[in-house]
Amino acid sequence: MSTTFQPVLDRIATEIDATPGRGRPADYIPALASADPNRFAMAVADLDGTVCGVGEWQHPFSTQSITKAFTLALALSLEGDELWEHVGREPSGNPFNSLVQLEYENGIPRNPFINAGALVVTDRLQKLTGDASGALRTFLRAESGNPELTFDLEIAASEAAHGDRNAALAHFMASYGNITNPVPELLDQYIRQCSIAASCGDLALAAGFLARHGIRADGSTLLTRSRAKQVNAVMLTCGTYDAAGDFAHRVGLPGKSGVGGGIIAVVPGHCTICVWSPGLDQRGNSVAGVAALDRFTTLTGLSIF
Ligand code: GLU
């Protein structure tokens, strides 16, 4: 089925190529700052794992916060509803690395996709597996079929050298008893998680369980249908920083973006999409990435609405 998406992807790439204004790469992690905003890739995987793509769709990029969708799914699969006692599921209306809300809300972050919430999810996964980032890498390798997929230790070191904000968030939540592992160990796991490099093809395949209502590539169950729905719902409402309303308005799909310029999106029951272009808008989403997904749902008519 996915071969039918190739003409759409080719058309989108041509349109994107002709559109000026690509935003700017993230510069608060120095190793990301030199990325060329003119780079572009997009891939679609259908339910049986057939992939098609355009541009540099097999080239690995820095996944960053895209990994938060996968760690949420893994933690939910192991811990179930108890996870929601440690992290909420409401949009925050604040920047992804904000501290202010945490004090008012007693160290329980609003949702799993702001940094505070993602730190809590990684903390839970670390408690449950003893190696959260390793468990994530194993899962992504299995679902993508790419045994080379791994951490980018240069990016990890660059982020670790500029990690005061995340350290502050983790220590602050630990003071409320909402972090169980030692903070330095948690930060190391979180930074390794965010440093994973993967291609659009890899990520479109790896997110397939979200389109298959919780079923992994090998046919086993990661999440019940209801929990897969929960992850998609949080992606729709909280997955694209504090622009989730605008993303839903333009694209109409659950999505999760990262400051590396990637975005994954899910059409439940149909396919998964990953797009990458490193230039970001003011709220941290890839300019060309959002535009490409907007065109994809417009041209194909595939949306959850
Ligand atoms: N590792 C990045 C951070 O914690 C991820 C940010 C993102 O992609 O939203 O700041």
Side-chain angles (χ1 to χ4, degrees), residues 28-29 64-65 68 96 115 159 166 190 194 241 257-260:
Y28 77 101
I29 299 175
Q64 296 296 323
S65 281
K68 294 171 183 173
F96 71 101
N115 279 14
E159 179 163 7
N166 285 331
Y190 172 79
C194 291
Y241 307 112
S257 55
V259 293

Side-chain angles (χ1 to χ4, degrees), residues 26 28-29 32 62-68 96-97 113-115 118-119 155 159 162-163 165-166 169 190-191 193-195 241 256-262 280 283-284:
Y28 77 101
I29 299 175
L32 295 178
S62 191
T63 57
Q64 296 296 323
S65 281
I66 291 176
T67 57
K68 294 171 183 173
F96 71 101
N97 56 3
F113 294 155
I114 52 175
N115 279 14
L119 285 160
I155 300 264
E159 179 163 7
H162 296 82
R165 178 65 70 112
N166 285 331
L169 290 168
Y190 172 79
I191 288 170
Q193 160 192 330
C194 291
S195 83
Y241 307 112
K256 182 73 203 87
S257 55
V259 293
L280 308 181
R283 291 188 284 188

Side-chain angles (χ1 to χ4, degrees), residues 167-219:
L169 290 168
H171 281 293
F172 195 59
M173 291 188 291
S175 77
Y176 286 96
N178 199 22
I179 294 293
T180 52
N181 295 283
V183 167
E185 180 184 329
L186 167 61
L187 292 172
D188 181 57
Q189 286 291 329
Y190 172 79
I191 288 170
R192 285 169 78 82
Q193 160 192 330
C194 291
S195 83
I196 282 181
S199 69
C200 282
D202 293 333
L203 291 170
L205 284 170
F209 71 96
L210 289 170
R212 292 187 296 266
H213 306 295
I215 305 300
R216 295 184 61 166
D218 66 1

